[in-house]
Each structure stands twice: as structure tokens, then as C-alpha cells.
């Protein structure tokens, strides 16, 4: 019995000792599980500036009253950034309460002695003078949006019954973005132009936002500008007790040099017509400074084979596609190898490409039509341009000439003034090749020489004596030659094969505006196409020359019924005369065929 008592006493003693030790030294797990202190509101927001809302005229006339409950976001600096409607009393009363609440100023709240943004519920009462505020309404008690923070005591806005309230300033805020990318534009300037000519200015923040609160009521012009962006202007209407919010998009001055220009034009008068102006095609990449090469990228046209300048429209033969300059057909658009076009870039006004469905005006084509318009010589003074590269040199000159009296410096009709334009181009590959051969090959060494050369010219004069009559004369031409020489030089010595293609045109034009909607376009033109081939050298040679003489007359009468509908008719006459001359080796005979 005594032994049992001793054991029980020892067990009790041991249990008490473990409990005492456990209380004195808590484990690491218990320390980690101790609850962390919750954030404590050490200072509630205090209203410093009260702004009474304007009682809407419509509600006053109708005798409407009500209570609007707002949830305000008070920033760390005490300003109100947002005012969301929790309980509505009508759109007009809600807007008046919001406009006034956004102008309130508070002493900021502090959480753990640190100024902190906080949300409170704010109640604005609208009551007419003859009707006291409802007795059953509880006193306004704003509460925080964070459930972990205690409720806040904010003074009640109280009944607002201004008998003759002053007109409050209108609030204006928004954001400025970049058009296309929608990126916010910092440091953009917003200027509101007032009636007296002064401006209210504001700049956007880092996120593109701006705010103005001193805008008087009325309709004002708003100007928005930013660095490297186009200036934007619009008109906004500002009303009392209304917050004007806007988002403005400013396009960049230039996104990149490979930009795409999209035009909205009136319905085409002919099917499948593509019109490109000189300003548009000059910025298309891949043209190597030659605007006419943009035709290769148009729909319906396949790229020509290497060293070829033919136009392949929808898989048809190149001979089925007609090429015109000012309505006069020419045999080719590109020089040998498709290196460049036969028209100087400075002499181009616009290009029309029709891969099909064209009218009877182009009756000598079956696949497609390319009509190149020469430049209108509207110069106020002398104009010149020159281009020099490794393959060619081109020049352009334009000048108006006054034949008597004082110089005319305008582009209006004047019988004393004639405008001239001239352009020329020539390649010098045939000059570089002999020099290169003399430098790198011993004297007298036979070689295989390829010597291509091309050249073209355009000359135009415009005379506009009267508003209804305009005259022009234009001469243009092109020449391509290719020499393949064996054992000789590019100057013509040696034995080889030669080929040359050339054409010349002279065009006279009369534009007669018979009536405001009736116009007649008359053309007389003539020209010659030549094709020469030769083989051999010295006494042993075979040559063939083909010449086609051309004369044509054209009259195009057009009457405009409306801005998008017209009736046209006319006469087109063309006369061709073909002749071919061949010479046989030995100089003993020849053959001439004419048609």
C-alpha cells in the first residue's frame, strides 16, 4: 500500500513539472501561430472643404427631392478621386451630387499613423425649402470599404436648399491616347479656349490622364497636342453640375516610312479601276525611286520574268495589255530588263490601272490597260531636280515664261504665260564596261561584252489663255539598245549581235469646257516605232529594220449628270504604216516590205 502511494505521488509530481516547463518555454510552432496585429485606424478623415451641390432646375420645377448615397475614394492627399452612386435619386440629382462630392477636401485618414487612401459612404440630401428632410432618415454614417477597418464618423452633408446658389465650376477630365496603339500619352497639353480668347491649360500625367475644374459653362473649343503627334481639335459642351469625361486619340506624325495610305473615294465610274497619285506611289517601298514600278504590286498583275519588262495581267499575253501616256498608246512601259520605266518620275501625275472590265474608250486592249498621266505644269517659279547613281543620270526642269508685261507668278489663266517642262535620262553602262575591260584585261585580249544602254526624254508646253480653253504640246520618246560583242569593245568594233528598240510621239491636246458640266477633250498625235536587229561584223552582216509610222485623232465629249454619274462619247481614229528593210551579207542585195 505504501509502495502504491509512492508511485502515484511520483507520477503527479512529474506531470506538474512538465506542465510548468511547457508554460515557461513555448515552442517555435506556438510562436509562429500567434495572431498578427490587425491594421488600426489611428485617424479618421475630417472634412475640410464642403461644396454644396446645385439643385437641378428640372427637379426644382417638378418638386422632386431625394437622398443620394455615394461611395467616395479619399486619396492619401485628401482629395476625392471617385464618387460612385450606391443609392440613386434620379440621374439629375446623382450628377449634381457627384459633381459636388468630387470637389470635397478632407484631412486624410491614417492607418497605423500613415496617411492612407480610404473609402467612405457619403449621403447627400436634396430637399426643397417647403419640405423638411424626412424624419425617418437615419443620420449619415460613412463606412470604409475594407471590412478590417472600423466604421468612420464623417459629418453629414445636411440638407442643401440654396435659394440662389452661385454657378459652380464644371469638371472636365479624361485621358489622351495614341491612335492605333492606344498607348497613354504623358505630358500632352490640353487647352480649353474660352469666349474671351484666354485658355485653360492642363497637362496629362504619366498615365495620360488630365483634370480641369475651372471650366465655365458653355460650348468651348478644346485643343490637344503632344510631341511627335498631330494636333487635335474638337468642340465640347460644358453644363452646370455635369462631369465631362472624354478619351482623345492622337495619331502620330509619322509611324514609319512604310506606312499604308487608305483613301475613301467616290464610287468608280469604271469597273476594276485603281488610281494612284504621284504622292502615294512615291512612298511605296521596293520601287527604287521609280513610281511606275508600283504597278507590279497591284492585284491582277503578275511579276515579269527576270530581265523582262512585260506586263502579265491575269495570265494573258503581254501583247493583250495596252500602255498609254496621256491617252496615246506606246509599245512598252519599261526599259530593257525592266530596270526602270520610260517616263521620268518627276514627269508623272498619276497612274490608272484597269485589269479588266474597262470601257470602249480603250478599244485596242483585251487583257488590261495602264494609262499614265503626265504632270500638270503648275509652277510658280523655276523648278529643277537631278539624280545620279551607278547606272543612270536623270534631270528635270520646269519653268513658267511670261512673254510680255509683268511676270505672272500664279497658276490662273493668262494669255501671256506659257509653262515648259523637260526631263531626260540616260544610262552609262556602255561607258563603264570598256573602261573596266581596259583596267582588268590585257590589251588586245578578246572578250565577250554585253553593253546595254537606254535613254528617254519628255518635253511639254502648256498654254492656258482662257478659263474654258487649255492647250498643251508634248513630245516624248525612248530608246533601248543591246550589244553582245565577241572579241571587241562596247564602242561597236568586233563581231556580235545588236538589237535596238525606240519610239517617239508628238501629242497636241485641247481641253474645251463648253459648259460647266460639258467638256470636250481633243487630241492629235503622230509618232514612229522602230525595231532594229543586226548580226555579224564587218562585211559579213545581216541587218533588219522595222518602222511603224502612227497618226491618230481623238475627241472625247463628256457630260456630268451628277457628281458620280456622267455620259461620254467620242471618236477615235488611228492610222498605222509598217515597213521592213533587210540587208543580206555581201552588200549585194536587200529586201524592203511596206504596208
Amino acid at each position: 500500500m505504501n509502495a502504491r502511494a509512492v508511485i502515484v505521488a511520483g507520477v503527479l509530481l512529474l506531470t506538474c513539472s512538465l506542465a510548468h516547463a511547457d508554460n515557461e518555454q513555448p515552442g517555435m510552432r506556438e510562436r509562429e501561430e500567434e495572431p498578427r496585429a490587425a491594421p488600426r485606424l489611428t485617424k479618421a478623415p475630417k472634412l475640410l472643404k464642403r461644396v454644396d451641390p446645385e439643385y437641378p432646375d428640372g427637379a426644382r420645377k417638378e418638386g422632386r427631392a431625394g437622398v443620394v448615397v455615394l461611395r467616395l475614394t479619399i486619396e492619401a492627399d485628401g482629395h476625392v478621386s471617385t464618387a460612385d452612386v450606391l443609392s440613386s435619386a434620379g440621374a439629375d440629382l446623382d450628377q449634381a451630387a457627384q459633381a459636388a462630392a468630387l470637389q470635397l477636401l478632407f484631412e486624410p485618414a491614417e492607418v497605423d499613423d500613415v496617411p492612407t487612401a480610404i473609402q467612405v459612404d457619403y449621403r447627400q440630401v436634396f430637399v426643397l425649402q417647403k419640405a423638411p428632410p424626412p424624419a425617418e432618415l437615419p443620420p449619415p454614417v460613412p463606412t470604409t470599404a475594407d471590412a478590417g477597418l472600423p466604421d468612420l464618423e464623417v459629418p453629414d452633408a445636411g440638407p442643401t436648399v440654396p435659394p440662389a446658389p452661385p454657378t459652380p465650376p464644371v469638371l472636365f477630365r479624361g485621358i489622351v491616347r495614341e491612335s492605333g496603339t492606344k498607348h497613354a500619352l504623358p505630358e500632352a497639353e490640353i487647352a480649353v479656349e474660352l469666349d474671351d480668347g484666354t485658355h485653360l491649360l492642363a497637362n496629362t500625367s504619366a498615365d495620360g490622364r488630365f483634370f480641369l475644374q475651372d471650366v465655365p459653362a458653355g460650348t468651348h473649343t478644346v485643343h490637344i497636342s503632344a510631341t511627335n503627334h498631330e494636333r487635335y481639335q474638337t468642340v465640347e459642351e460644358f453644363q452646370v453640375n455635369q462631369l465631362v469625361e472624354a478619351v482623345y486619340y492622337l495619331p502620330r506624325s509619322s509611324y514609319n516610312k512604310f506606312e499604308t495610305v487608305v483613301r475613301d473615294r467616290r464610287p468608280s465610274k469604271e469597273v476594276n479601276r485603281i488610281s494612284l497619285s504621284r504622292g502615294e506611289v512615291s512612298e511605296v517601298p521596293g520601287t527604287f525611286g521609280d513610281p511606275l514600278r508600283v504597278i507590279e504590286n497591284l492585284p491582277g498583275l503578275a511579276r515579269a520574268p527576270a530581265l523582262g519588262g512585260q506586263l502579265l495581267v491575269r495570265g494573258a499575253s503581254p501583247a493583250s495589255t495596252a500602255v498609254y501616256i496621256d491617252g496615246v498608246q506606246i509599245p512598252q512601259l519599261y526599259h530593257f530588263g525592266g530596270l526602270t520605266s520610260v517616263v521620268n518620275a518627276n514627269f508623272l501625275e498619276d497612274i490608272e490601272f484597269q485589269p479588266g472590265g474597262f470601257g470602249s474608250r480603250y478599244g485596242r486592249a483585251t487583257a488590261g490597260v495602264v494609262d499614265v498621266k503626265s504632270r500638270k505644269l503648275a509652277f510658280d517659279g523655276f523648278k529643277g531636280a537631278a539624280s545620279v547613281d551607278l547606272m543612270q543620270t536623270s534631270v528635270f526642269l520646269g519653268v513658267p515664261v511670261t512673254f510680255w508685261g509683268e511676270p505672272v507668278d500664279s497658276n490662273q489663266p493668262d494669255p501671256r504665260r506659257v509653262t515648259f517642262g523637260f526631263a531626260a535620262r540616260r544610262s552609262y553602262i556602255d561607258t563603264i564596261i570598256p573602261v573596266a575591260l581596259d583596267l582588268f584585261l590585257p590589251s588586245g585580249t578578246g572578250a565577250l561584252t554585253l553593253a546595254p544602254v537606254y535613254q528617254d526624254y519628255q518635253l511639254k508646253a502648256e498654254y492656258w489663255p482662257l478659263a474654258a480653253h487649255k492647250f498643251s504640246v508634248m513630245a516624248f520618246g525612248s530608246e533601248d539598245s543591246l550589244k553582245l560583242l565577241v572579241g571587241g569593245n562596247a564602242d561597236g568594233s568586233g563581231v556580235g549581235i545588236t538589237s535596238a528598240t525606240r519610239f517617239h510621239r508628238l501629242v497636241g491636246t485641247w481641253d474645251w469646257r463648253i459648259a460647266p458640266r460639258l467638256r470636250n477633250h481633243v487630241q492629235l498625235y503622230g509618232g514612229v516605232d522602230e525595231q532594229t536587229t543586226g548580226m555579224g561584223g564587218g562585211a559579213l552582216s545581216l541587218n533588219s529594220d522595222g518602222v511603224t509610222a502612227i497618226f491618230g485623232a481623238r475627241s472625247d465629249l463628256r457630260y456630268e449628270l451628277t457628281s458620280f454619274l456622267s455620259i461620254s462619247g467620242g471618236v477615235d481614229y488611228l492610222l498605222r504604216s509598217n515597213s521592213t528593210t533587210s540587208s543580206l551579207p555581201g552588200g549585194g542585195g536587200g529586201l524592203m516590205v511596206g504596208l
Side-chain angles (χ1 to χ4, degrees), residues 364 523-528 548-553 573-577:
R364 300 182 181 92
Q523 276 187 323
L524 294 176
Y525 60 91
V528 61
T548 301
I550 298 174
F551 172 78
Y573 175 78
L574 177 63
L575 176 64
R576 292 178 180 267
S577 176

Side-chain angles (χ1 to χ4, degrees), residues 162-510:
T167 302
V170 179
L171 299 179
F172 179 37
R173 68 183 182 187
I175 184 170
V176 180
R177 298 182 181 275
E178 183 181 89
S179 178
T181 63
K182 297 186 179 180
H183 293 159
L185 295 180
E187 299 301 324
E189 183 180 83
I190 294 85
V192 179
E193 184 177 358
L194 304 182
D195 296 336
D196 58 358
T198 60
H199 293 79
L200 297 178
L201 303 178
N203 292 93
T204 58
S205 58
D207 58 354
R209 299 183 181 276
F210 67 90
F211 178 78
L212 280 170
Q213 61 178 3
D214 297 324
V215 184
T219 302
H220 306 297
T221 302
V222 181
H223 306 271
I224 304 98
S225 58
T227 306
N228 297 326
H229 291 76
E230 296 182 5
R231 188 180 180 89
Y232 182 79
Q233 177 177 315
T234 185
V235 176
E236 299 288 358
E237 182 178 357
F238 301 89
Q239 298 182 5
V240 177
N241 293 328
Q242 287 191 2
L243 173 65
V244 179
E245 292 185 292
V247 179
Y248 299 113
Y249 294 91
L250 270 63
R252 289 186 63 88
S253 301
S254 177
Y255 290 87
N256 54 64
K257 62 181 181 180
F258 301 114
E259 62 185 358
T260 301
V261 179
V262 179
R263 296 193 310 167
D264 185 13
R265 59 181 185 272
R266 63 183 184 181
S268 300
K269 298 179 181 179
E270 295 178 342
V271 181
N272 294 334
R273 172 192 289 182
I274 300 176
S275 299
L276 300 172
S277 64
R278 181 176 67 250
E280 292 173 332
V281 299
S282 62
E283 298 181 359
V284 176
T287 60
F288 302 100
D290 188 355
L292 283 177
R293 294 187 66 92
V294 75
I295 298 177
E296 300 177 356
N297 300 321
L298 297 179
L301 188 64
R303 288 188 176 273
L307 298 180
Q310 299 89 352
L311 297 178
L312 307 179
V313 178
R314 293 178 175 174
S317 170
S320 301
T321 298
V323 179
Y324 297 85
I325 295 181
D326 285 347
V328 178
Q329 190 171 357
I330 60 175
Q332 62 187 39
L333 183 61
Y334 298 109
H335 285 295
F336 169 80
L339 298 176
T340 184
S341 63
V342 297
V343 181
N344 192 292
N346 293 290
F347 231 90
L348 174 70
E349 183 68 29
D350 56 45
I351 307 169
E352 288 187 2
F353 173 58
Q354 301 181 55
F358 43 85
S360 59
R361 186 173 185 268
Y362 304 101
R364 300 182 181 92
T366 57
V369 169
V370 176
D371 196 351
V372 179
K373 306 295 184 181
S374 63
R375 180 171 185 168
K376 298 177 181 178
L377 304 183
F379 303 139
D380 294 333
F382 176 80
K383 182 178 179 62
S387 174
V388 179
D389 55 36
L390 295 177
M391 298 182 61
Q392 65 181 15
T393 296
S394 63
V395 296
F396 170 78
L397 300 175
V399 59
V401 177
T402 303
F403 286 94
W404 70 88
E406 295 294 329
V408 180
D409 56 357
S410 66
N411 294 316
Q412 300 301 319
D414 195 303
R416 301 173 299 155
R417 185 175 189 262
V418 179
T419 308
F420 296 92
F422 171 75
R425 170 171 44 197
R426 190 188 192 281
S427 68
Y428 34 76
I429 304 176
D430 58 324
T431 305
I432 297 176
I433 290 179
V435 176
L437 292 178
D438 293 340
L439 291 176
F440 296 101
L441 294 179
S443 178
T445 301
L448 179 65
T449 305
L450 182 65
V453 59
Y454 57 85
Q455 55 190 353
D456 58 65
Y457 69 93
Q458 298 89 40
L459 176 62
K460 186 177 183 180
E462 284 188 354
Y463 182 51
W464 196 6
L466 302 173
H469 301 274
K470 187 174 185 180
F471 304 89
S472 68
V473 178
M474 181 177 179
F476 58 93
S478 169
E479 180 178 1
D480 296 82
S481 62
L482 176 65
K483 298 178 181 180
L484 181 62
L485 304 177
V486 180
N489 296 320
D491 58 3
S493 61
V495 179
I497 301 173
T498 62
S499 176
T501 302
R502 64 185 64 90
F503 72 87
H504 304 276
R505 295 289 188 273
L506 179 63
V507 185
T509 304
W510 174 27

Side-chain angles (χ1 to χ4, degrees), residues 121-132:
D121 291 348
Y122 183 85
R123 182 166 48 194
Q124 178 65 59
V125 180
F126 290 88
V127 59
L128 296 174
Q129 282 185 332
K130 61 182 181 180

Side-chain angles (χ1 to χ4, degrees), residues 42 137 144 159 210 355 559:
T42 56
L137 291 177
T144 63
F210 67 90
Y559 181 76

Side-chain angles (χ1 to χ4, degrees), residues 51-64:
V51 178
D52 294 330
E54 174 73 12
Y55 210 113
D57 293 338
R60 186 185 300 276
K61 293 178 181 179
E62 297 173 2
R64 286 190 291 111

